[in-house]
């Protein structure tokens, strides 16, 4: 693949959307062609799967079903958008990717992490991010930042669930420090962005 996939991970309210917007604007100023997508969703079929996943009425959904739906949404997004755009040599910014499933369904809900990684390879056509930003924040603090928002099916889960997700992300970062950059999300938006940009400049050889 000639292009570059950059993913943004972390709990709700950790600042993913905020940083993605800053990175988009920055790369635009640097005359780079960037495409932004979000998970689950990003394309029509995957957005439909997203609706099923986040619908608060789906109280009976099993962890396995949930995992596979995330993977199905991801597979369609990869096939329709991510793979072709990377092939064309462009930059893709993705709000959540496979690490989210490892953290939320694996560490959070007890689904076998090895199974998730194996299905993940299939769903992503083995495409991996060049760099992943993990914005680390206390689950309670993150959730308090998004207090005003209507909570979806996942966001409604108990605080101890969100704490396990955070621990999961921390494990992922510990295992793959080359790819996953753990950033303290308690800092100001500007401080966080300064760290993010430093990594992006190095990765894309921007001076
Ligand atoms: N570093 C930060 N410090 C304080 N508030 C922040 C910071 N980054 C983002 N926010 C605010 O917290 C809320 C959640 O941020 P957002 O980027 O939407 O997080 P996410 O996309 O990870 O859910 C927003 O209101 C945003 O303005
Ligand atoms: Mg967001």
């Amino acid at each position: 693949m000639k292009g570059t996939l950059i993913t943004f991970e972390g709990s709700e309210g950790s600042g993913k959307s905020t940083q993605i917007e800053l990175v988009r604007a920055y790369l635009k100023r640097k005359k780079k062609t960037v495409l932004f997508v979000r998970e689950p969703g990003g394309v029509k079929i995957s957005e439909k799967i997203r609706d099923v996943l986040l619908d608060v009425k789906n109280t009976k959904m099993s962890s396995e079903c949930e995992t596979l739906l995330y993977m199905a949404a991801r597979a369609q997004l990869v096939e329709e958008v991510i793979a072709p755009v990377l092939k064309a040599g462009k930059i893709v910014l993705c709000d959540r990717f496979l690490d989210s499933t490892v953290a939320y369904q694996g560490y959070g809900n007890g689904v076998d992490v090895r199974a998730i990684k194996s299905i993940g390879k299939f769903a992503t056509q083995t495409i991996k991010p060049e760099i992943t930003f993990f914005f680390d924040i206390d689950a309670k603090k993150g959730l308090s930042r998004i207090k005003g928002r209507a909570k979806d099916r996942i966001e409604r889960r108990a605080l101890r669930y969100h704490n396990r997700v955070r621990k999961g992300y921390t494990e992922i970062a510990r295992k793959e420090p080359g790819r996953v950059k753990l950033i303290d999300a308690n800092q100001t938006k500007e401080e966080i962005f300064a760290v993010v940009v430093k990594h992006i400049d190095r990765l894309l050889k921007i001076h």
Side-chain angles (χ1 to χ4, degrees), residues 14-116:
S14 61
K16 298 181 296 300
S17 300
T18 303
Q19 294 301 320
I20 289 169
E21 265 319 303
L22 293 170
V23 170
R24 267 171 99 169
Y26 175 75
L27 291 176
K28 218 172 151 189
R29 283 202 302 278
K30 297 288 176 184
K31 309 272 183 267
K32 302 275 182 193
T33 314
V34 248
L35 183 92
F36 161 71
V37 283
R38 70 158 181 191
E39 274 213 347
V43 290
K44 212 165 173 190
I45 292 170
S46 309
E47 288 287 337
K48 282 190 171 178
I49 300 172
R50 177 190 180 94
D51 290 342
V52 175
L53 275 165
L54 302 184
D55 187 344
V56 293
K57 292 196 293 292
N58 289 335
T59 51
K60 288 202 292 196
M61 190 183 293
S62 75
S63 302
E64 290 77 10
C65 173
E66 183 177 297
T67 302
L68 292 170
L69 285 178
Y70 274 109
M71 291 295 187
R74 181 166 301 133
Q76 188 64 32
L77 177 65
V78 167
E79 170 65 22
E80 258 193 69
V81 174
I82 296 181
V85 172
L86 291 178
K87 246 176 221 149
K90 292 176 183 151
I91 301 163
V92 179
L93 307 179
C94 196
D95 188 338
R96 299 193 177 285
F97 201 57
L98 183 56
D99 296 315
S100 279
T101 311
V102 173
Y104 282 78
Q105 282 66 49
Y107 288 94
N109 253 354
V111 176
D112 180 26
V113 169
R114 272 183 316 179
I116 292 176

Side-chain angles (χ1 to χ4, degrees), residues 145-174:
R145 281 187 183 167
I146 57 161
K147 265 201 309 274
R149 282 187 210 162
K151 282 192 180 150
D152 64 39
R153 202 175 56 84
I154 308 290
E155 288 165 348
R156 282 183 173 208
R157 288 178 180 161
L159 193 58
R160 61 176 188 281
Y161 170 80
H162 292 284
N163 281 325
R164 287 198 298 275
V165 171
R166 182 190 187 189
K167 237 181 122 190
Y169 272 129
T170 311
E171 275 297 292
I172 294 168
R174 193 181 58 77

Side-chain angles (χ1 to χ4, degrees), residues 8-22 95-96 135 137 141-142 144-147 149 155 184-193:
F8 297 76
E9 296 281 357
S11 319
E12 354 293 324
S14 61
K16 298 181 296 300
S17 300
T18 303
Q19 294 301 320
I20 289 169
E21 265 319 303
L22 293 170
D95 188 338
R96 299 193 177 285
F135 303 114
I137 195 163
K141 186 168 175 188
S144 81
R145 281 187 183 167
I146 57 161
K147 265 201 309 274
R149 282 187 210 162
E155 288 165 348
D184 178 3
N186 292 296
Q187 303 174 88
T188 66
K189 296 173 191 181
E190 294 75 22
E191 285 168 332
I192 295 169
F193 184 60

